[in-house]
Amino acid sequence: MLYGALEAGGTKMVCAIGDETGKIYEQVSIPTTTPDETMPEIISYFRDKGIEAIGIACFGPIDLDRKSETYGFITSTPKTAWKKFNIVGYVEKALGIPVGFDTDVNGSLLGEITYGCAQGLTDAIYLTIGTGIGGGVMTNGKLLHGMMHPELGHVIIAKRSDDKGQCVCPYHDSCLEGLAAGPSIEKRWGRSAKELTDDAAVWELEADYIGTALVNYCMTLSPQKIILGGGVMHQMQLFPLIRRVFKEKMAGYINTKTLENLDEYIVPASLNDDQGIMGAIKLAIDAKTELL
Amino acid sequence: MLYGALEAGGTKMVCAIGDETGKIYEQVSIPTTTPDETMPEIISYFRDKGIEAIGIACFGPIDLDRKSETYGFITSTPKTAWKKFNIVGYVEKALGIPVGFDTDVNGSLLGEITYGCAQGLTDAIYLTIGTGIGGGVMTNGKLLHGMMHPELGHVIIAKRSDDKGQCVCPYHDSCLEGLAAGPSIEKRWGRSAKELTDDAAVWELEADYIGTALVNYCMTLSPQKIILGGGVMHQMQLFPLIRRVFKEKMAGYINTKTLENLDEYIVPASLNDDQGIMGAIKLAIDAKTELL
């Protein structure tokens, strides 16, 4: 059985065809411009591919409340052409198959839970750190939505007194995304993260912000694993630094077997940046199964 | 059908008998000294009361993992007499009835979800602010345990630069409990919270710390309601102050209908400080139901 997967991002739409084992048979990337331009291209890609259902892992904020009149809509995004666009309704009408829907980051987490490093876990976090910061959360074996969905990038974090940079978030004076996402790094140090690989001060500060946020996620969600993905996390030297900050700031308050081995607790994404598209396959499978 | 409820706290053990409507028929309080002294008193209270099951809402940290060898134990508490005490095993053996078990704060949340102001919700937080700070969490209709259980009081919060007090947490340089629980207030201002009711500066600072933490819980857990209980929260003037800080620091980033009315979003506990014991009744009911 074949399934469609759409990883809907602010700059590109990744479309793929896969099966229930998570195997991806083919994949294309379509630039995200306006719904009028982009959506017909997406539909024409998926049409006649023989897929049984499609999963959409979507940039947000989005409405995930099935009882809401705007379920399946992209809501208050700064990308104005997509504001209040009913992406689920559009795809459902055009393809006439079940549509699974969740945030991009819940999609990535679902990919890791189903096919990757978090298999068998019921409680985990996937945090992506790139041009923005966002996170997917699973609790009790289900993706977390709650009132809306988590916005892990916008937790308040104190700016360190020796940080000469500034919080670049347009909303918050001092939040994780504003202090630690790619654009913040570039603005603070005058060069992109990639060009700063060998500058220890850059990564010491970055790890401090990320590690502090992870302590707070751990106190709040009590996850069994924390997976870090996104462009900034390709800087692998960050992992030991983040684990050190995490350990220092937890200060031994929580003692579990799981926390004894932080190398297995705070880990890189394991699916070669296919976690999002593989998670979207699983969203499709779940949408199909729901109807059976 | 009658159920037993034990709200196990560090200073007292509240024992009660109730029914499935949450009605409490009788209640006693036994001082928490050592297991050898305290437990036989508890058992002799409950014996011959005709209860079908008992629920324990317990101070922590505790082991909630049913697959663990130490399920039902109090684990790394500073109250040394109770460290590694198998409270569930003891009660089960002595009374021979099903035993429900969770944290004290999950118990209080369950009380509010079942009988109080959070009925019908699937995602909510109960935060108690008193001699310590702790929180219970429900996500997707289930109490959250995860790796262990949340420890909402120990999230890292920056100490405000004009705060002349200090973080009194023995573990953390700067955490919510260390900055905002009763002992911290008393140490900072030289008098107890009750004696400071009319001092605006006290509550402005207190609301700043609590409101900041609530923003982070909201970004992380996306709850449908946040319930605040405990001795410090009997200072009702705190509620409008906390809501104001919350609104300012959210800065309009999340737009939902729920957040439009903060008076209904950030609310006092609704069960006259019986939320814990009523939640323990529900733990007992669930333990009984599980066996049917």
Side-chain angles (χ1 to χ4, degrees), chain A:
Chain A
M1 223 179 250
L2 292 178
Y3 296 95
L6 170 58
E7 196 181 3
T11 56
K12 63 181 179 179
M13 299 284 186
V14 181
C15 305
I17 309 293
D19 67 20
E20 65 283 354
T21 68
K23 187 173 172 188
I24 305 295
Y25 293 99
E26 52 171 283
Q27 184 166 320
V28 299
S29 180
I30 294 167
T32 304
T33 59
T34 64
D36 283 351
E37 262 184 20
T38 307
M39 292 308 297
E41 281 195 68
I42 290 172
I43 297 302
S44 85
Y45 171 78
F46 284 113
R47 208 187 290 281
D48 306 323
K49 287 283 199 300
I51 56 176
E52 300 281 331
I54 184 168
I56 306 176
C58 191
F59 69 100
I62 58 180
D63 187 344
L64 293 168
D65 177 2
R66 302 237 180 179
K67 284 175 258 167
S68 160
E69 282 176 22
T70 54
Y71 168 76
F73 282 53
I74 297 166
T75 57
S76 58
T77 175
K79 306 185 85 59
T80 49
W82 294 86
K83 206 166 173 164
K84 299 191 181 173
F85 178 66
N86 180 1
I87 190 165
V88 169
Y90 188 102
V91 171
E92 216 160 38
K93 196 174 168 195
L95 297 177
I97 53 176
V99 179
F101 186 54
D102 217 310
T103 62
D104 45 6
V105 279
N106 267 349
S108 292
L109 176 59
L110 189 60
E112 293 287 352
I113 293 256
T114 313
Y115 306 111
C117 66
Q119 286 177 60
L121 300 185
T122 55
D123 295 77
I125 296 175
Y126 176 91
L127 192 73
T128 180
I129 304 172
T131 51
I133 298 183
V137 176
M138 180 172 276
T139 57
N140 286 316
K142 281 189 174 181
L143 294 171
L144 179 59
H145 300 158
M147 173 181 65
M148 185 178 89
H149 47 73
E151 283 285 352
L152 296 186
H154 292 270
V155 289
I156 297 165
I157 294 283
K159 187 162 163 292
R160 219 167 69 173
S161 57
D162 64 343
D163 179 0
K164 308 281 187 241
Q166 53 184 282
C167 177
V168 302
C169 174
Y171 290 90
H172 301 122
D173 291 341
S174 190
C175 75
L176 180 65
E177 177 171 298
L179 292 169
S184 157
I185 298 174
E186 191 161 344
K187 185 148 191 188
R188 178 186 295 113
W189 305 98
R191 281 177 295 160
S192 75
K194 278 181 194 166
E195 298 169 285
L196 293 161
T197 303
D198 297 327
D199 190 334
V202 172
W203 307 110
E204 186 273 327
L205 180 65
E206 181 73 6
D208 198 21
Y209 288 135
I210 298 170
T212 302
L214 297 195
V215 167
N216 284 1
Y217 302 150
C218 185
M219 295 295 185
T220 309
L221 290 162
S222 198
Q224 297 158 325
K225 198 181 275 289
I226 298 173
I227 304 158
L228 303 177
V232 171
M233 293 313 304
H234 289 155
Q235 302 283 334
M236 296 302 287
Q237 74 276 18
L238 268 173
F239 282 89
L241 299 173
I242 290 169
R243 291 185 193 113
R244 193 170 67 198
V245 171
F246 181 85
K247 189 173 178 176
E248 277 172 20
K249 299 206 175 190
M250 289 295 285
Y253 181 72
I254 293 179
N255 293 292
T256 64
K257 275 186 192 152
T258 306
L259 289 187
E260 281 169 20
N261 185 359
L262 291 184
D263 291 354
E264 297 289 316
Y265 189 67
I266 298 170
V267 300
S270 71
L271 296 170
N272 296 311
D273 290 333
D274 276 343
Q275 54 273 16
I277 206 74
M278 290 169 81
I281 293 281
K282 184 61 163 65
L283 289 173
I285 296 169
D286 291 348
K288 176 82 183 168
T289 311
E290 234 174 56
L291 293 182
L292 296 181

Side-chain angles (χ1 to χ4, degrees), chain B residues 24-287:
Chain B
I24 304 294
Y25 294 98
E26 52 171 282
Q27 184 166 321
V28 299
S29 180
I30 294 166
T32 304
T33 59
T34 64
D36 283 352
E37 263 184 19
T38 307
M39 292 308 298
E41 281 195 68
I42 291 171
I43 297 302
S44 87
Y45 171 76
F46 284 113
R47 207 187 292 280
D48 307 322
K49 287 283 198 300
I51 57 176
E52 299 281 330
I54 184 168
I56 308 176
C58 191
F59 70 101
I62 58 179
D63 187 345
L64 294 168
D65 177 4
R66 301 238 179 180
K67 287 175 258 169
S68 159
E69 281 175 23
T70 53
Y71 168 76
F73 282 53
I74 297 165
T75 57
S76 58
T77 175
K79 305 186 85 61
T80 49
W82 294 86
K83 205 167 177 164
K84 298 189 182 175
F85 178 66
N86 180 2
I87 189 165
V88 169
Y90 188 102
V91 171
E92 216 160 38
K93 196 173 166 196
L95 297 177
I97 53 176
V99 179
F101 186 53
D102 216 309
T103 61
D104 45 6
V105 278
N106 268 349
S108 292
L109 176 59
L110 189 61
E112 293 287 351
I113 293 258
T114 313
Y115 306 111
C117 67
Q119 287 177 60
L121 300 185
T122 55
D123 295 77
I125 296 175
Y126 176 90
L127 192 73
T128 179
I129 304 172
T131 52
I133 298 182
V137 176
M138 179 171 278
T139 59
N140 286 315
K142 282 188 173 182
L143 294 171
L144 180 59
H145 300 157
M147 173 180 66
M148 185 178 90
H149 47 71
E151 283 285 352
L152 296 186
H154 292 269
V155 289
I156 298 166
I157 295 282
K159 187 162 163 290
R160 220 166 70 171
S161 57
D162 64 342
D163 179 359
K164 308 281 187 242
Q166 54 184 283
C167 178
V168 302
C169 174
Y171 289 91
H172 302 123
D173 291 341
S174 191
C175 74
L176 180 65
E177 176 170 300
L179 291 170
S184 157
I185 298 174
E186 191 160 344
K187 185 149 191 189
R188 179 187 294 114
W189 305 99
R191 281 177 296 160
S192 75
K194 277 181 197 168
E195 297 170 287
L196 292 161
T197 302
D198 297 327
D199 189 334
V202 172
W203 306 109
E204 186 274 326
L205 180 65
E206 182 72 6
D208 197 21
Y209 288 135
I210 297 169
T212 303
L214 297 195
V215 167
N216 284 1
Y217 302 149
C218 185
M219 295 293 184
T220 309
L221 289 162
S222 197
Q224 298 158 325
K225 198 181 276 287
I226 298 173
I227 304 157
L228 303 177
V232 171
M233 292 313 303
H234 289 155
Q235 302 283 332
M236 295 302 287
Q237 73 275 18
L238 267 173
F239 283 89
L241 299 173
I242 290 170
R243 291 184 194 113
R244 192 170 67 198
V245 171
F246 182 84
K247 188 172 180 178
E248 276 172 20
K249 299 208 176 188
M250 289 295 284
Y253 182 73
I254 293 179
N255 293 292
T256 63
K257 275 188 193 149
T258 307
L259 289 187
E260 281 169 21
N261 186 358
L262 290 184
D263 290 355
E264 297 290 316
Y265 189 66
I266 298 170
V267 300
S270 70
L271 297 169
N272 296 312
D273 289 334
D274 276 342
Q275 55 272 15
I277 205 74
M278 290 170 80
I281 293 281
K282 183 61 164 64
L283 289 173
I285 295 169
D286 291 347

